Amino acid sequence: MPSPIPVTRLLPRDFGLELGVCSSPLTKQSGDTTLRVPVIAFHGKLACRLWSSVIHWRELRDLEPIGSGGFGLVSRATYLGETVAMKRVRCAKNKLASRQSFWAELNAAHLRHENLVRVIAASTQSNATDDDGVIGTIIMEYAGDLNLQQLIYSAAEPLRRESCVRHATDVARALRHLHAHGVVHLDVKPANVLVSHAGVCKLADFGCSLKLEIARDRDASPRRLEIGGTYTHRAPELLRGEDVTPGADVYSFGVTLWQLFTREPPYEGERQHVLYAVVAFNLRPDLNKPVFNTSGPIKDLISRCWSAEPNQRPSAEQLLTELSELPA
């Protein structure tokens, strides 16, 4: 069972509800173990509701597995009459990391933005009979089966320039909203960006995310950084164990933008060699690709995104401004 987590990990400080004393987010309700967070009464459309700390299992139907990984299993399902995605987080070899990953998934649960995958409900239980090792279940908006990784590398033809800029703009909007609310994603990469049927990019998978107020806690941040992200997109200051800032997401955004235009993997070679070269020799993906010969502003923007100094990288707000000013 997860260790007691302050309710402030789950809700913004200015949420506006009387919370009373709560030493643990876990409590018993009708025989179920659920997260102890205030829940708005169900009414109106599902899209208008605050995320719920209670999953109504009888309303969950038609489960169909659509993906799996070290975290567990993702299924498509119907919940309260709407198509959703359900993630069952399992305990991996590193039990602490698994539990932290589950709680991190809820760091942005209170946020609503068209470029963020919305959390609908979460519970520390599972409705499955084989729930041994399940840390928790999260029900999320179903944003489609396609991610940006597949779009970049599986398409028969290169993405059009305007499509690359549009997708990058969607991701930058998501980062602006996250950072404005004190959350850093810490695993921005094409595989974690879902592309809806309408072509809208939505940032997903918050298992590595962190609230900046916790990142500034010297006692908590070193342990949290052990969970890591994806090494090809991880900012050098994080590889050195330094402070977490929104600039870490901007660095990852720069690598993602490079992938959109080149359709190539960022690095080749052994993981440990790449990590050492990124930190010690300022290694970055190759910007001398033919695609950048006619895209000077894009090349310049990417270069500044992955500056070695976080304070020299543009903010998410600046990313949006510069992307909007790119020549057609």
Side-chain angles (χ1 to χ4, degrees), residues 299-312:
K299 181 177 180 179
D300 176 69
L301 178 60
I302 293 174
S303 178
R304 285 184 288 113
C305 282
W306 61 39
S307 169
E309 298 298 327
N311 58 9
Q312 293 181 7

Side-chain angles (χ1 to χ4, degrees), residues 220-242:
S221 58
R223 176 186 295 177
R224 187 62 188 81
L225 288 177
E226 290 177 5
I227 295 179
T230 304
Y231 79 94
T232 53
H233 294 67
R234 197 151 178 79
E237 68 271 14
L238 300 188
L239 296 173
R240 292 191 295 263
E242 297 174 0

Side-chain angles (χ1 to χ4, degrees), residues 250-288:
V250 174
Y251 179 97
S252 304
F253 173 88
V255 180
T256 299
L257 185 57
W258 182 91
Q259 289 176 273
L260 272 167
F261 277 87
T262 65
R263 302 182 72 199
E264 297 182 16
Y267 304 108
E268 295 180 356
E270 296 293 330
R271 178 180 184 272
Q272 62 270 25
H273 296 161
V274 171
L275 292 176
Y276 180 76
V278 166
V279 174
F281 300 108
N282 219 24
L283 176 68
R284 302 292 185 268
D286 187 4
L287 278 173
N288 295 315

Side-chain angles (χ1 to χ4, degrees), residues 24-85:
S24 169
L26 302 180
T27 186
K28 286 284 187 179
Q29 295 183 9
S30 303
D32 290 334
T33 305
T34 58
L35 305 180
R36 186 178 177 183
V37 181
V39 182
I40 287 181
F42 290 109
H43 60 82
K45 282 288 188 179
L46 191 62
C48 299
R49 297 174 189 148
L50 172 72
W51 79 278
S52 170
S53 62
V54 178
I55 294 178
H56 297 263
W57 299 109
R58 292 182 180 179
E59 298 291 340
L60 190 64
R61 301 184 177 91
D62 307 323
L63 271 66
E64 176 188 353
I66 57 175
S68 62
F71 55 80
L73 179 70
V74 175
S75 301
R76 180 169 48 232
T78 301
Y79 184 64
L80 294 171
E82 295 193 20
T83 302
V84 298

Side-chain angles (χ1 to χ4, degrees), residues 161-221:
R161 175 190 170 95
E162 52 266 36
S163 296
C164 293
V165 173
R166 185 177 71 252
H167 296 325
T169 299
D170 283 349
V171 177
R173 286 194 183 114
L175 293 180
R176 178 178 64 180
H177 195 71
L178 279 180
H179 297 168
H181 289 83
V183 178
V184 283
H185 188 277
L186 298 183
D187 198 16
V188 177
K189 60 180 180 180
N192 285 342
V193 178
L194 300 181
V195 184
S196 72
H197 294 300
V200 177
C201 289
K202 293 174 178 282
L203 189 58
D205 199 340
F206 287 80
C208 291
S209 69
L210 188 64
K211 289 190 174 182
L212 285 171
E213 62 186 27
I214 295 174
R216 298 187 183 102
D217 182 348
R218 295 287 183 174
D219 294 329
S221 58

